């Protein structure tokens, strides 16, 4: 396995896949459900000043360097001859080359898009605002440029389905935030991010917020909100249902498009998504299809949202105490989950709704549209008997371990914190009975802590899903350090996703194997004394 992707997955997977970035009540209510794909990009997407400050024509320069890629990891690599620059062109408010969209197909079955500026029939980035040393040249983006690829599902006849948004993109489409290419490309960082970067801050008004998608062959048009609220209708590119919207990114548009009611969203992050639904609140409020059907994405009632947020604050004080803000991102015990669900039933009843109806009214947090036109592949029916296998656990001696350490564990530092505490290294393994050959299939595990206590040390309540091809019969090994100060019996549960739906296409382990669309592989337990 490529070491780079292993490190990225370890860093992102532990946080994103157990939804540690979400507030406590969002994780309490939604952790058992399979969620739509939302990938939080590890590196900041950088902002850049206005293109109007430079010429509207750029001479050819060096191409963007491709990042490290593997045909069997994450999205894979672009298949030769499977890339196409669409005819979509969107003007930038500051001038310069228009924005465009390229569609590619990968070795792991994904349909992906790349976004950039278009000059002379090529997709690329611009040498302005400290990118490419301000050479004022056009730098082509290769189809294999990992830093600028956003992926979704492919159906049985080759139609792609995906949606996403990028907030904080650069007018120069600066790819220097990824890998070692930053040394060559340079660039500025999003003002106010404060990540300790040596890059200069980009000036105000330099950012872009971008909405993009492939809605399938049956999608005809979208209705979307411009900055300020004015509605517009745009016909989609026939055959693929493609759209691309580019707006200024600032505090106002961030609040308008991403922060208007979801208080957990930060206005300096980059997100991308897969599945048949644009991000919400987002810009797209309606999708119309060939048969006259339409899907409304305008979001939940502001009044209900306000009441729900007030309820969660009250529940937090009741369940976590007055200092609940300091405890919101800690692992959740089974007892806390049960108490919250009891309060949630009472709140829903007060709104004359069941919990199911409340979940529907709130979106859930993100309204969904069906993948109209999706042709499901003919997959064999797989049962628990086809994937069940023993889970073997090995517990190592308790001690104070650092990173690096001399233990020959598959995940050598997973679960280690910055504090000098005593940990219990645990390894578990099993043989995969079914192969994984694309990004919509994976194995996942979850670790359930002893429960009933405030077990907030590292290691408790984590989850993970694989992100690479796996052979039938291959031995899969995982490991983690658990805090010795949190004794009790831990349960490890493993699941297998044979083929995810288009709303959950890529490594979307829901942290509840056997109940989130995956098939139960097996479970085992170990005890910390």
């Amino acid at each position: 396995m490529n070491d780079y992707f292993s490190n990225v997955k370890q860093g992102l997977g532990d946080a994103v896949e157990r939804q540690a970035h979400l507030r406590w009540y969002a994780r309490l209510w939604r952790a058992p459900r399979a969620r739509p794909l939302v990938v939080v990009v590890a590196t900041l997407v950088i902002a850049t000043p206005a293109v109007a400050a430079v010429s509207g024509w750029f001479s050819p320069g060096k191409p963007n360097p491709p990042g490290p890629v593997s045909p069997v990891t994450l999205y894979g690599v672009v298949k030769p001859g499977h890339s196409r620059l669409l005819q979509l062109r969107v003007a930038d408010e500051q001038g310069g080359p228009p924005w465009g969209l390229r569609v590619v197909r990968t070795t792991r079955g994904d349909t992906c898009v790349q976004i950039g500026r278009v000059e002379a029939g090529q997709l690329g980035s611009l040498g302005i605002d400290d990118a490419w040393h301000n050479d004022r040249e056009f730098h082509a983006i290769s189809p294999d440029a990992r830093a600028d690829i956003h992926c979704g599902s492919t159906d049985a006849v080759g139609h792609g389905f995906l949606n996403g948004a990028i907030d904080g993109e650069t007018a120069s489409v600066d790819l220097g935030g990824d890998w070692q290419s930053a040394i060559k490309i340079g660039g500025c960082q999003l003002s106010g991010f404060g990540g300790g970067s040596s890059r200069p801050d980009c000036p105000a008004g330099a950012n872009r917020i971008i909405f993009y998608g492939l809605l399938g062959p049956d999608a005809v048009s979208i209705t979307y909100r411009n900055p300020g609220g004015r509605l517009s209708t745009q016909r989609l590119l026939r055959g693929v249902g493609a759209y691309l919207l580019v707006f200024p990114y600032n505090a106002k548009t961030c609040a308008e498009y991403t922060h208007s009611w979801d208080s957990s969203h930060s206005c300096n992050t980059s997100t991308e998504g897969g599945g048949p639904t644009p991000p919400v609140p987002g810009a797209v409020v309606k999708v119309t299809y060939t048969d006259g059907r339409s899907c409304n994405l305008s979001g939940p009632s502001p009044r209900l949202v306000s009441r729900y947020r007030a309820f969660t604050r009250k529940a937090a004080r009741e369940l976590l105490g007055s200092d609940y803000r300091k405890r919101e991102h800690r692992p959740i015990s089974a007892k806390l989950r049960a108490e919250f669900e009891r309060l949630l039933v009472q709140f829903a009843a007060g709104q004359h709704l069941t919990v199911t109806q409340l979940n529907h009214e709130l979106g859930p947090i993100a309204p969904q549209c069906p993948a109209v036109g999706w042709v499901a592949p003919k997959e064999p029916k797989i049962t628990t008997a086809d994937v069940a296998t023993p889970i073997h656990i090995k517990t190592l001696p308790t001690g104070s371990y650092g990173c690096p350490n001399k233990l020959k564990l598959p995940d050598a530092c997973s679960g280690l914190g910055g504090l000098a505490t005593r940990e219990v290294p645990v390894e578990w393994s099993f043989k995969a009975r079914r192969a994984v050959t694309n990004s919509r299939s994976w194995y996942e595990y979850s670790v359930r802590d002893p429960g009933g206590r405030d077990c907030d040390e590292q290691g408790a309540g984590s989850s993970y899903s694989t992100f690479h091809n796996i052979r039938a019969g291959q031995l899969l090994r995982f490991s983690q350090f658990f805090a010795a100060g949190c004794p009790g019996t831990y349960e490890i549960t493993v699941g297998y996703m044979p083929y995810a739906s288009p709303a959950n296409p890529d490594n979307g382990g829901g942290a509840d194997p056997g109940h989130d669309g995956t098939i139960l592989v097996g479970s085992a337990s170990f005890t910390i004394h």
Side-chain angles (χ1 to χ4, degrees):
M1 183 188 302
N2 184 289
D3 289 339
Y4 169 80
F5 288 120
S6 297
N7 294 336
V8 169
K9 188 61 176 184
Q10 193 61 56
L12 290 181
D14 287 349
V16 176
E17 292 181 12
R18 71 171 181 264
Q19 300 181 330
H21 61 295
L22 299 179
R23 292 182 181 273
W24 70 280
Y25 53 83
R27 291 184 290 132
L28 275 172
W29 187 8
R30 306 185 192 285
R33 297 176 171 84
R35 64 187 185 282
L37 170 67
V38 176
V39 179
V40 179
V41 180
T43 52
L44 177 67
V45 176
I46 305 161
T48 153
V51 177
V54 297
S55 169
W57 180 86
F58 293 80
S59 59
K62 295 179 180 179
N64 281 271
V69 291
S70 166
V72 298
T73 303
L74 290 178
Y75 305 126
V77 299
V78 177
K79 298 168 67 174
H82 286 74
S83 66
R84 177 166 62 109
L85 181 63
L86 301 182
Q87 293 302 310
L88 285 175
R89 298 291 183 269
V90 178
D92 188 90
E93 64 163 0
Q94 303 291 353
W99 293 83
L101 201 67
R102 179 163 58 200
V103 178
V104 301
R105 187 73 53 78
T106 75
T107 54
R108 298 203 74 221
D110 286 304
T111 295
C112 308
V113 299
Q114 293 171 305
I115 300 168
R117 311 297 287 267
V118 179
E119 184 88 350
Q122 283 190 303
L123 194 74
S125 61
L126 309 179
I128 59 175
D129 307 319
D130 296 303
W132 292 102
H133 308 290
N134 295 308
D135 61 12
R136 299 194 178 190
E137 294 180 340
F138 180 86
H139 300 269
I141 298 174
S142 164
D144 290 323
R146 171 67 60 185
D148 199 48
I149 195 168
H150 315 284
C151 296
S153 303
T154 308
D155 72 4
V157 293
H159 298 138
F161 291 79
L162 66 99
N163 267 286
I166 310 171
D167 34 323
E169 177 62 285
T170 71
S172 68
V173 198
D174 180 6
L175 305 189
D178 270 4
W179 308 299
Q180 299 301 318
S181 62
I183 299 174
K184 299 179 180 179
I185 297 176
C188 53
Q189 76 171 354
L190 185 62
S191 178
F193 181 72
S197 170
S198 60
R199 297 181 175 201
D201 284 351
C202 298
N207 310 33
R208 303 291 180 269
I209 182 166
I210 299 173
F211 300 93
Y212 60 90
L214 303 176
L215 302 183
D218 292 350
V220 175
S221 66
I222 58 169
T223 301
Y224 64 91
R225 290 184 298 110
N226 293 276
R230 180 177 58 86
L231 295 179
S232 297
T233 298
Q234 178 185 107
R235 292 193 66 84
L236 303 176
L237 197 63
R238 292 183 60 182
V240 292
Y243 75 92
L244 178 65
L245 306 172
V246 181
F247 302 132
Y249 177 79
N250 49 48
K252 182 178 179 181
T253 56
C254 176
E256 183 175 0
Y257 288 119
T258 66
H259 200 62
S260 62
W261 62 276
D262 180 8
S263 63
S264 66
H265 180 85
S266 171
C267 281
N268 60 9
T269 58
S270 168
T271 63
E272 59 172 287
T277 310
V280 174
V284 178
V285 298
K286 183 180 179 181
V287 180
T288 303
Y289 303 96
T290 52
D291 57 3
R293 284 187 294 171
S294 64
C295 177
N296 192 321
L297 293 166
S298 57
S301 160
R303 178 176 297 181
L304 181 60
V305 169
S306 177
R307 291 173 178 172
Y308 176 69
R309 290 175 63 179
F311 155 72
T312 59
R313 289 192 295 268
K314 181 180 178 181
R317 286 191 294 269
E318 180 176 335
L319 298 177
L320 302 178
S322 59
D323 62 342
Y324 68 92
R325 293 189 182 279
K326 298 179 180 179
R327 305 176 62 192
E328 282 189 320
H329 296 287
R330 295 182 180 181
I332 302 165
S333 68
K335 180 180 179 180
L336 180 61
R337 185 186 303 279
E339 286 297 307
F340 177 77
E341 290 177 350
R342 178 182 61 82
L343 295 176
L344 185 65
V345 170
Q346 295 178 358
F347 169 76
Q351 309 305 311
H352 306 289
L353 299 169
T354 65
V355 171
T356 300
Q357 291 169 332
L358 176 65
N359 184 54
H360 176 76
E361 291 295 326
L362 286 176
I365 300 302
Q368 296 288 311
C369 284
V372 177
W374 171 267
V375 179
K378 295 181 179 179
E379 293 290 320
K381 182 175 177 58
I382 298 175
T383 66
T384 300
D386 297 319
V387 298
T389 189
I391 313 299
H392 302 284
I393 295 182
K394 180 171 65 175
T395 303
L396 281 67
T398 302
S400 296
Y401 296 92
C403 186
N405 53 65
K406 296 182 179 180
L407 299 179
K408 296 181 180 180
L409 295 172
D411 305 306
C413 296
S414 176
L416 282 176
L419 302 177
T421 58
R422 289 171 59 80
E423 292 100 6
V424 180
V426 179
E427 177 183 338
W428 56 97
S429 61
F430 61 93
K431 283 189 176 181
R433 295 185 58 191
R434 302 288 300 190
V436 170
T437 60
N438 58 70
S439 68
R440 286 182 299 178
S441 181
W442 60 82
Y443 285 90
E444 67 180 37
Y445 70 74
S446 69
V447 180
R448 186 181 296 276
D449 64 38
R453 297 176 293 113
D454 188 13
C455 234
D456 58 8
E457 288 85 357
Q458 69 269 27
S462 61
S463 63
Y464 179 90
S465 62
T466 59
F467 57 102
H468 52 84
N469 287 0
I470 296 169
R471 302 184 310 276
Q474 181 176 339
L475 179 67
L476 300 183
R477 299 171 59 230
F478 306 95
S479 65
Q480 194 165 297
F481 289 84
F482 295 86
C486 192
T489 298
Y490 292 71
E491 183 178 12
I492 297 174
T493 308
V494 177
Y496 169 71
M497 172 61 76
Y499 197 85
S501 70
N504 187 12
D506 190 331
N507 302 324
D512 194 13
H515 302 281
D516 56 4
T518 58
I519 301 172
L520 184 65
V521 171
S523 62
S525 62
F526 64 93
T527 300
I528 296 178
H529 298 285

